Amino acid sequence: MKLYDAPWAPSPRRVRIFLAEKGVVIDREHVDLRDGEHLRDAYLRINPRGAVPALELDDGEVLCESAAICRYIEALYPEPSLFGADPLAIGRIESWTRRIEGDGYAAAVYAFRNRSPAFVDRGLPGNWPPVAQIPELAARGMVMWDGFVSALDERLADRTWIAGGGYSFADITALVTIDFAKSAAKLSVPERAKHILRWHAAATARPSAAA
Amino acid sequence: MKLYDAPWAPSPRRVRIFLAEKGVVIDREHVDLRDGEHLRDAYLRINPRGAVPALELDDGEVLCESAAICRYIEALYPEPSLFGADPLAIGRIESWTRRIEGDGYAAAVYAFRNRSPAFVDRGLPGNWPPVAQIPELAARGMVMWDGFVSALDERLADRTWIAGGGYSFADITALVTIDFAKSAAKLSVPERAKHILRWHAAATARPSAAA
């Protein structure tokens, strides 16, 4: 199988960290997002959605969506479990993953996509008809980001990792979200969120963070 | 355990259909969304996010997010599998679930929340500070909805169910999305999308659809 990857985008990074935590190596092909390669015919024949990552299987089928690719990998290589090994861990990891995505990651995408001249008429990521930017979404994203930071900091006050057990898909999702928000959307974790900052240092110190 | 539920909202319905497909019965308590019960102290002590569904476990821990609740139930009651029983099914179901949520369900929420007088300063669902409505999101939602309908119709042209195997969480997600979009956001499936319409009739005919 082959992973269509891109070096600075958050969703491919989520898959790369996941693979590194598993110790799984997959062939990768870079798609040049800055050059618009993901929106040209050759790549759209692989993934009509015009998004990375995409995982091409040996029979040609293509799996899209980073969470789906990670779940496929988890099913092939169950150890170490990153989606949870018992019902409660599974529920907690999914609950926090969804919350991180819905509040934190969405906030960063709102801010990133809706005010930069680079994305005029491309308010949605991927292969869509022209979609106007909505600058008000950047303001909405700030509210969401503040709520995300407060909730995650409280969660981490008495836990090493987000879901409560070992390092999991929820931590990977939060790490990718926080780094993307800072670099692409100028949304950062304030000094007062000391539990997140401690957690972030620990997550960043794992070799997988550099994947 | 106890499920905090609401009769007309899409996310609780997703869990109810899931439980019905599993044949699992859980105590339920209704939260009156129209009366704002989900945003009052008694419920916020259970789920500070002010959202339904929420699953209260016997030790008092509360799991939020409908997908997380369903995954917890799947882990407790694996049969029939609704998230997939082999790696490829798992990947396909998650990929389509994410796509349905990100394009179709998000479109419906955008349209529902951002133009109705009922949601002034409540542009985000749940317990947030005041968040202004953004009417332009309704227009963006129309573009997303059209893309969702086209992609899903193409997907269903040669399949009974969305992920390709049996009825799955992806089908439940699409059924809830389409019914919610029609009733709450006036986004409907056009006559030309005949494969979706055939699928929708089959999904609606399952006893679980009435849960």
Side-chain angles (χ1 to χ4, degrees):
Chain A
M1 54 190 167
K2 181 162 72 173
L3 181 70
Y4 290 89
D5 191 14
W8 61 274
S11 295
R13 185 181 179 220
R14 181 150 80 151
V15 175
R16 288 197 307 275
I17 295 176
F18 190 89
L19 291 168
E21 289 284 340
K22 290 279 184 187
V24 172
V25 176
I26 294 180
D27 284 347
R28 291 191 275 152
E29 183 168 325
H30 278 185
V31 179
D32 190 339
L33 301 183
R34 293 190 196 272
D35 188 45
E37 186 183 351
H38 58 303
L39 299 175
R40 286 203 294 269
D41 286 350
Y43 185 70
L44 292 177
R45 277 194 291 273
I46 295 158
N47 182 7
R49 281 167 83 61
V52 283
L55 183 69
E56 190 174 55
L57 308 183
D58 291 341
D59 67 357
E61 179 168 345
V62 175
L63 278 180
C64 305
E65 301 289 336
S66 59
I69 292 169
C70 291
R71 286 196 179 275
Y72 176 73
I73 299 294
E74 174 105 344
L76 288 177
Y77 307 96
E79 301 295 334
S81 167
L82 294 167
F83 283 107
D86 62 77
L88 194 53
I90 288 168
R92 287 171 176 160
I93 292 168
E94 179 73 353
S95 178
W96 274 94
T97 297
R98 293 294 189 134
R99 183 167 189 170
I100 295 159
E101 293 173 346
D103 297 352
Y105 185 71
V109 172
Y110 280 171
F112 177 57
R113 280 264 158 195
N114 287 283
R115 55 187 179 193
S116 162
F119 296 119
V120 167
D121 283 337
R122 289 173 52 207
L124 290 173
N127 184 29
W128 290 94
V131 173
Q133 292 177 301
I134 303 175
E136 292 87 344
L137 275 178
R140 182 181 285 195
M142 302 265 289
V143 175
M144 294 161 64
W145 185 257
D146 287 346
F148 162 68
V149 164
S150 296
L152 186 61
D153 197 56
E154 183 183 332
R155 175 73 182 176
L156 286 167
D158 55 359
R159 288 175 184 84
T160 303
W161 303 116
I162 294 169
Y167 191 76
S168 79
F169 191 65
D171 298 290
I172 296 173
T173 302
L175 179 64
V176 165
T177 292
I178 286 171
D179 291 348
F180 169 65
K182 184 174 183 179
S183 67
K186 296 186 171 60
L187 292 170
S188 56
V189 176
E191 287 300 318
R192 66 171 165 77
K194 61 184 187 205
H195 306 299
I196 297 182
L197 295 174
R198 182 255 311 148
W199 163 90
H200 185 265
T204 302
R206 297 173 76 90
S208 63
Chain B
M1 53 191 168
K2 180 163 74 173
L3 181 70
Y4 289 89
D5 190 14
W8 60 275
S11 296
R13 185 182 179 218
R14 181 151 80 151
V15 176
R16 288 198 307 273
I17 295 175
F18 190 89
L19 291 169
E21 289 285 339
K22 291 278 186 188
V24 172
V25 176
I26 294 179
D27 283 346
R28 291 190 275 152
E29 184 168 325
H30 278 186
V31 180
D32 189 339
L33 302 182
R34 292 191 196 272
D35 188 46
E37 186 183 351
H38 57 304
L39 299 175
R40 285 203 293 268
D41 286 350
Y43 185 70
L44 292 177
R45 277 193 291 274
I46 295 159
N47 181 7
R49 283 168 82 59
V52 283
L55 184 68
E56 190 174 55
L57 308 184
D58 290 342
D59 67 357
E61 179 168 346
V62 174
L63 278 180
C64 305
E65 300 289 337
S66 59
I69 292 169
C70 290
R71 286 196 180 275
Y72 177 73
I73 299 294
E74 173 105 345
L76 289 177
Y77 306 96
E79 302 294 336
S81 166
L82 294 167
F83 283 106
D86 62 78
L88 195 53
I90 288 168
R92 288 171 177 161
I93 291 167
E94 180 72 354
S95 177
W96 275 93
T97 297
R98 293 294 188 134
R99 183 167 189 171
I100 294 159
E101 290 173 348
D103 297 352
Y105 185 71
V109 172
Y110 281 171
F112 176 57
R113 279 263 158 194
N114 287 283
R115 56 187 179 193
S116 160
F119 295 118
V120 168
D121 284 336
R122 290 173 53 208
L124 289 173
N127 184 29
W128 290 94
V131 172
Q133 292 177 301
I134 302 175
E136 293 87 343
L137 275 177
R140 181 181 285 195
M142 301 266 290
V143 174
M144 294 162 65
W145 184 257
D146 286 347
F148 160 70
V149 164
S150 296
L152 186 61
D153 197 56
E154 183 182 333
R155 174 74 182 175
L156 286 168
D158 55 0
R159 287 173 185 84
T160 302
W161 303 115
I162 293 171
Y167 191 77
S168 79
F169 191 64
D171 297 291
I172 296 172
T173 303
L175 180 63
V176 165
T177 292
I178 286 171
D179 291 347
F180 169 65
K182 183 173 183 179
S183 66
K186 298 189 171 57
L187 293 170
S188 57
V189 175
E191 287 300 318
R192 67 172 163 79
K194 62 184 185 207
H195 307 298
I196 296 182
L197 295 175
R198 182 255 308 148
W199 163 90
H200 185 266
T204 302
R206 298 173 75 90
S208 63

